[in-house]
Amino acid sequence: MAKENHTIKSEFILTGFTDHPELKTLLFVVFLTVFLITIVGNLGLLILISKEHRLHTPMYIFLGNLALVDSCCACAVTPKMLRNFFSKNRMISFYECIAQFYFLCTVETADCFLLAAMAYDRYVAICKPLQYHTMMSKKLCIQMTTGAYIAGNLHSMIHVGLLFRLNFCGSNHINHFYCDILPLYRLSCVDPYVNELVLFIFSGSVQVFTIGSVLISYIYILLSIFKMKSKNGRVKAFSTCASHFLSVSLFYGSLFFMYIRPNLLEEGDKDIPAAILFTEVVPLLNPFIYSLRNKEVITILRKILKKEKSQKSLKQMMSTIH
């Protein structure tokens, strides 16, 4: 019987947002709207960058990859969450649960490194403009982008591999809207101390390294801004840096709260608000913060729309003549 009680659960039940059933329709509409805007905004930006040769620069290559991982993040979490709002069966299999966490952990870790790479790119562009093309070569850009995805996969593999040392013999209710690693630790019949320690060390290392890179880059950028003689230039640079730093702060702040805080296994009710920030809000905001405030992107979009409008008018004129 003891052996039978310690078999791995084959299925779990996601109970996130079930405390307020009267709000399920409103929450469904809100999250569906957020999901659609996120996908359209990020994929639209990715398509624009891939098609426009003028945007094939390191900054936009990083931005395109950021848009890709933000889209993947939304796709990893939101469809299942939307289905569960009106589904009586909120079950998720053990292997589906692991796959969801693996995919999400990969893209979020890659996101961390891409944000650090983008901050370094802006540092070189603002502080060392004459050396930009030498320091930010195409080869380095590809290496940094590839490294972000490799780091994401390795980070996920470590935690997923350690999940198989756990047994789940008690409740199978996950107090979350997606299958995260911390609720699984809370359900384990085996002491997850090793898993928790490895999570703290590796997640902490990733965040300290990438946050440190971002902070150092922005400190040098701000010092350069203070040296600018043009008041309009300082205001514009401050505005851009402030919006970028807001997005970075929301993303890293929510991740830090989720995975680096003390007593990770004791505060399950506080996971959901932080998770909403980095899985829903930040991917929604990034296309607007990083591109729609960018004059180069706006100019290209206007030219494309103007060209399409003129082509449509020409077709109407030709059809009228014929």
Side-chain angles (χ1 to χ4, degrees):
M1 285 298 292
K3 191 174 182 179
E4 185 180 335
N5 286 338
H6 284 79
T7 56
I8 293 177
K9 295 284 185 183
S10 60
E11 291 181 325
F12 298 97
I13 301 172
L14 297 171
T15 61
F17 301 119
T18 55
D19 292 339
H20 305 284
E22 69 280 0
L23 296 176
K24 67 179 181 180
T25 303
L26 176 62
L27 290 172
F28 177 85
V29 172
V30 169
F31 283 114
L32 176 62
T33 304
V34 168
F35 176 69
L36 293 175
I37 295 173
T38 300
I39 295 300
V40 170
N42 283 292
L43 292 186
L45 179 60
L46 184 59
I47 292 167
L48 179 67
I49 291 170
S50 63
K51 284 192 171 185
E52 281 294 326
H53 292 288
R54 285 170 289 179
L55 299 180
H56 291 178
T57 60
M59 182 180 77
Y60 290 105
I61 290 172
F62 292 137
L63 186 56
N65 280 277
L66 184 70
L68 176 63
V69 297
D70 282 343
S71 300
C72 292
C73 176
C75 290
V77 172
T78 313
K80 182 77 174 176
M81 176 181 66
L82 292 174
R83 187 181 73 83
N84 284 346
F85 276 120
F86 296 101
S87 174
K88 292 182 179 179
N89 179 17
R90 296 188 176 89
M91 303 290 280
I92 183 170
S93 71
F94 177 71
Y95 291 105
E96 187 184 357
C97 184
I98 286 179
Q100 188 181 45
F101 168 75
Y102 178 88
F103 193 65
L104 186 63
C105 182
T106 298
V107 297
E108 293 295 357
T109 305
D111 211 330
C112 289
F113 284 98
L114 287 171
L115 287 172
M118 289 172 67
Y120 176 73
D121 174 76
R122 289 300 82 205
Y123 154 72
V124 177
I126 294 171
C127 301
K128 301 186 178 182
L130 298 178
Q131 302 174 45
Y132 181 76
H133 293 291
T134 305
M135 293 180 68
M136 287 303 299
S137 63
K138 188 176 180 180
K139 182 180 178 181
L140 178 62
C141 183
I142 292 171
Q143 287 174 341
M144 292 173 82
T145 305
T146 305
Y149 290 112
I150 291 172
N153 276 283
L154 290 175
H155 191 215
S156 301
M157 286 178 186
I158 291 167
H159 299 304
V160 166
L162 286 172
L163 275 177
F164 286 96
R165 68 176 288 273
L166 303 180
N167 290 326
F168 305 95
C169 56
S171 171
N172 65 342
H173 287 69
I174 295 177
N175 184 24
H176 218 309
F177 59 91
Y178 68 90
C179 201
D180 193 22
I181 199 168
L182 292 178
L184 290 177
Y185 290 174
R186 297 182 187 113
L187 297 180
S188 174
C189 299
V190 176
D191 185 2
Y193 173 75
V194 173
N195 301 65
E196 190 180 353
L197 181 63
V198 170
L199 178 67
F200 182 82
I201 291 170
F202 280 90
S203 296
S205 300
V206 168
Q207 292 193 45
V208 167
F209 174 76
T210 54
I211 290 173
S213 301
V214 170
L215 287 175
I216 291 170
S217 298
Y218 273 100
I219 287 170
Y220 278 104
I221 289 170
L222 287 173
L223 291 174
S224 295
I225 291 171
F226 283 127
K227 294 176 184 177
M228 289 181 179
K229 294 180 180 179
S230 169
K231 185 178 179 181
N232 290 334
R234 286 199 303 270
V235 171
K236 181 183 173 183
F238 266 123
S239 175
T240 302
C241 286
S243 60
H244 289 191
F245 203 72
L246 171 64
S247 173
V248 169
S249 299
L250 285 173
F251 178 73
Y252 281 118
S254 54
L255 278 181
F256 194 87
F257 177 82
M258 280 282 291
Y259 300 111
I260 312 298
R261 70 178 190 265
N263 302 319
L264 283 174
L265 304 184
E266 296 179 7
E267 301 181 40
D269 293 338
K270 296 182 180 180
D271 291 348
I272 291 178
I276 289 173
L277 274 179
F278 72 81
T279 61
E280 303 290 335
V281 177
V282 172
L284 170 70
L285 293 178
N286 278 345
F288 300 97
I289 289 175
Y290 287 104
S291 60
L292 294 183
R293 292 174 59 90
N294 188 307
K295 282 189 176 180
E296 194 172 1
V297 173
I298 295 296
T299 302
I300 291 171
L301 279 173
R302 283 175 179 168
K303 285 182 179 179
I304 291 172
L305 292 172
K306 192 175 180 180
K307 186 178 178 181
E308 288 183 354
K309 190 176 180 181
S310 61
Q311 286 178 346
K312 192 178 285 186
S313 300
L314 184 62
K315 284 181 181 179
Q316 287 176 350
M317 286 175 63
M318 294 297 291
S319 61
T320 303
I321 293 170
H322 289 295

